[in-house]
Amino acid sequence: SPYRPIALSHYRPIALFITLTMNAEPGQTELVNRSPTAIWFEEMIHLLSSASLEGLLNKAVNLFLQAVQAEAGSILYFNQHPYMARDGNLRKEYLVHFQGWEEAVLRRLQAGQAVQFKPGQLPIAAKTDTRTGTTLLNLPLISETRTLTGSLSLALPPGVSLPGPERQLLQRLALGLSFIISQRASLEQAHRRLKYMNLFYQVGQALMSTLDINRLLADTMKLAAEVIDAGAASLMLIDEENKELVFEVTLGAHGHILRQQRIPLDEGIAGWVARHGKPAITNNARADPRFSHRVDVRTGFLTQSIAAVPLKLKGRVIGVLEVLNKYAEEGFNDDDLQLMSVIAAQAAIAIENARLYERVRQERDLILQAQEEIRHELNRKLHDGPVQLLSAISVSLDHLEWLSKHKPEMLAEAFPPLRDLLRQAIKDTRTILFELRPIILETQGLVAALEQYVERLEESKHLTIHFTTVDRLNLPPQVANTIFLIVQEAVNNVMRHAEAQNLWLSVTVRHGYCIVTIRDDGKGFDQEKVEREYEGHSSFGLLNMKERAALIDARLVINSRASGPDRGTTVQLIVPLAEKTA
């Protein structure tokens, strides 16, 4: 015979046997003897070419209506969220039964109750509507592991029922459909994951391409709006001190009005997300009791739907990413939240990196500025102290040389003043070296360093110093060094500007804090005026002390009076001990 049958097995558990007529001449084939069932099976396989899972289900309902000449049909499939497809003459009495079956299946699936069927068993539930005489059928849809994934419901014409062989065929077709739906769902999930991976890569590239925090925030918000297909977006950061959300960047109509606007943490859906650290969706914002109308009133924007996720860093919420008014009619869904959560997670890390970079950059600038200030200060001290003394010594040596030639009897009288000048130069030089790097601070700690510092001040300055301290302080080297630098800065300010007679320096420990106080009885100054005009000054004394205090989580309090019996300046540095000395 010029013909031979070929068995093709496609897509377990269906075995398709299609008779192919092959011409005697190689390369030529034609289909023969294609039964309606074979054609129907082929149509089932073509379902896999559907553009989407929803499209597949719609085609499948139509195919089943044709296969059993049903009046109406409904398919429910559950994969993270339910999919529904219906077709035919969907009379009210049909829908009542369909919905009853589907709700029971959906409750089990949403509750995570695994229902498993034995091989070869796919039960058919049947009901007869007494008013219409219609036979209603329901079959489960199952996965490859034979667990419940959904259901197929059909309404046969009045007076029509399925005999045994046709019921068996329907069971096999339902098995085939179950497998095809599972394959399509798996394919869609793979495509979705690939799309997400590509998207996450792009998000990561975009967020890691800059350390400019303003650009970073803008890029994050723009990405969220584009990915979610939303009409507007905003990114808010938490102001911990004031318990508020600050609109750092906004996108959309009237968004510029919100720049740097603030809302309390206990207000609106964004506030709810920030407080609870959980994402939120509402596709009817005005019906949501968490929604606040204040922002809409302020901007004239009409909020219809909202999706918001927290920006978390090390378990701590630092802000909220929010998108508004999705263009798609169905509104925001769990997939949108998942995408936003990934963007928010990467954005939080990028924001922290940008903040750390900014902090390092600021500290670097402070160090460079401090080095420049120290250079100027060292230059001034050397010029006013050792350099002047060395000049005087040089002149004295010239005078000694002249006396040795012309009045040698007067040489003995000239040596004591020269010796005093030399000793003072040595003292001043040692004081400068001590202030630059007190070795004792590293070896014996802050208290010993301050004691030696006061001794040197008393030797070289015309100022009465009153010093009281605790016996011992166990401080980390960085903290001790910073405190010493602040004391130096405060004392230098007194020496240069205060015209004081007395200076009080005290170190005490109270309630878990080290309190360092520098007080003088000088002429004082207008603190607000000095701080207001500070940018025009070449020196950065007060600002430098405040910034150094912030580096060790300390608080600096400055009070100054230019008149009255209490005139003078008090500088108080309050350093927490519990964390720093543990």
Side-chain angles (χ1 to χ4, degrees), residues 32-311:
V32 297
N33 300 332
R34 296 177 64 204
S35 67
T37 303
I39 294 172
W40 196 90
F41 267 118
E42 187 178 347
E43 290 297 322
M44 283 273 286
I45 300 304
H46 286 164
L47 290 177
L48 280 173
S49 64
S50 301
S52 65
L53 185 58
E54 291 89 340
L56 184 152
L57 295 177
N58 287 325
K59 288 182 181 178
V61 172
N62 186 266
L63 280 175
F64 271 90
L65 294 183
Q66 295 177 35
V68 296
Q69 299 300 308
E71 284 195 344
S74 178
I75 291 178
L76 166 70
Y77 178 71
F78 185 84
N79 183 24
Q80 295 183 337
H81 55 267
Y83 295 84
M84 181 79 68
R86 286 174 176 163
D87 200 0
N89 182 17
L90 296 167
R91 296 164 61 175
K92 184 178 179 180
E93 51 268 28
Y94 299 165
L95 289 176
V96 170
H97 293 289
F98 290 173
Q99 289 170 353
W101 279 321
E102 290 167 350
E103 287 172 4
V105 169
L106 197 55
R107 279 195 300 271
R108 287 190 170 189
L109 292 172
Q110 289 177 331
Q113 298 177 0
V115 181
Q116 197 158 19
F117 298 89
K118 295 180 180 179
Q121 293 185 3
L122 199 63
I124 298 179
K127 289 183 180 179
T128 301
D129 189 292
T130 55
R131 289 176 298 174
T132 62
T134 301
T135 300
L136 300 160
L137 305 175
N138 179 263
L139 295 87
L141 299 179
I142 62 175
S143 66
E144 285 186 281
T145 58
R146 307 195 69 81
T147 55
L148 183 68
T149 59
S151 70
L152 166 66
S153 301
L154 296 168
L156 302 181
V160 176
S161 62
L162 291 180
E166 292 188 6
R167 289 172 70 90
Q168 291 178 4
L169 177 61
L170 181 60
Q171 288 175 315
R172 293 192 183 106
L173 296 178
L175 279 171
L177 177 64
S178 295
F179 183 77
I180 290 172
I181 292 175
S182 295
Q183 292 296 306
R184 181 67 209 189
S186 298
L187 185 62
E188 278 202 2
Q189 189 173 20
H191 284 163
R192 191 182 303 112
R193 285 177 179 172
L194 183 62
K195 175 184 174 184
Y196 286 175
M197 287 177 64
N198 182 52
L199 175 64
F200 299 157
Y201 172 77
Q202 293 178 13
V203 170
Q205 289 291 100
L207 295 183
M208 298 303 171
S209 64
T210 179
L211 287 170
D212 181 342
I213 194 163
N214 292 323
R215 180 182 163 192
L216 181 63
L217 296 174
D219 287 349
T220 301
M221 182 201 55
K222 187 177 179 182
L223 272 169
E226 289 178 353
V227 168
I228 309 302
D229 195 28
S234 61
L235 192 149
M236 295 159 272
L237 297 180
I238 293 178
D239 180 348
E240 296 283 359
E241 184 176 349
N242 297 308
K243 304 297 181 187
E244 292 176 324
L245 279 170
V246 184
F247 285 86
E248 294 291 341
V249 196
T250 55
L251 178 71
H254 311 294
H256 62 283
I257 301 174
L258 287 176
R259 180 83 169 109
Q260 292 300 314
Q261 294 290 318
R262 295 167 174 264
I263 59 172
L265 275 177
D266 59 355
E267 182 176 308
I269 291 174
W272 185 92
V273 170
R275 292 196 314 275
H276 293 83
K278 298 178 180 179
I281 287 180
T282 176
N283 286 312
N284 185 3
R286 298 180 180 278
D288 194 312
R290 298 171 297 179
F291 178 68
S292 171
H293 297 264
R294 183 182 301 184
V295 173
D296 280 12
V297 170
R298 194 180 302 170
T299 62
F301 185 82
L302 181 62
T303 301
Q304 297 170 333
S305 56
I306 300 174
V309 297
L311 272 71

Side-chain angles (χ1 to χ4, degrees), residues 382-394:
L382 288 172
H383 180 271
D384 294 346
V387 171
Q388 296 291 339
L389 292 170
L390 289 173
S391 297
I393 290 170
S394 177

Side-chain angles (χ1 to χ4, degrees), residues 496-552:
R496 285 196 296 251
H497 309 298
E499 299 177 9
Q501 300 297 316
N502 294 277
L503 184 145
W504 291 266
L505 172 60
S506 68
V507 179
T508 59
V509 174
R510 290 200 305 268
H511 308 299
Y513 291 91
C514 172
I515 302 171
V516 181
T517 305
I518 306 101
R519 182 170 64 87
D520 68 74
D521 58 359
K523 63 182 182 179
F525 63 94
D526 186 336
Q527 188 175 344
E528 291 185 4
K529 181 180 178 182
V530 170
E531 291 181 350
R532 188 168 57 249
E533 299 174 353
Y534 215 64
E535 291 183 1
H537 292 190
S538 59
S539 174
F540 63 101
L542 297 183
L543 181 62
N544 184 35
M545 288 192 290
K546 288 183 178 180
E547 289 174 340
R548 281 176 172 159
L551 292 177
I552 57 173

Side-chain angles (χ1 to χ4, degrees), residues 373-388:
E373 179 71 11
I374 289 170
R375 189 177 69 81
H376 285 299
E377 182 68 15
L378 179 60
N379 182 64
R380 184 189 65 79
K381 287 183 176 181
L382 288 172
H383 180 271
D384 294 346
V387 171
Q388 296 291 339

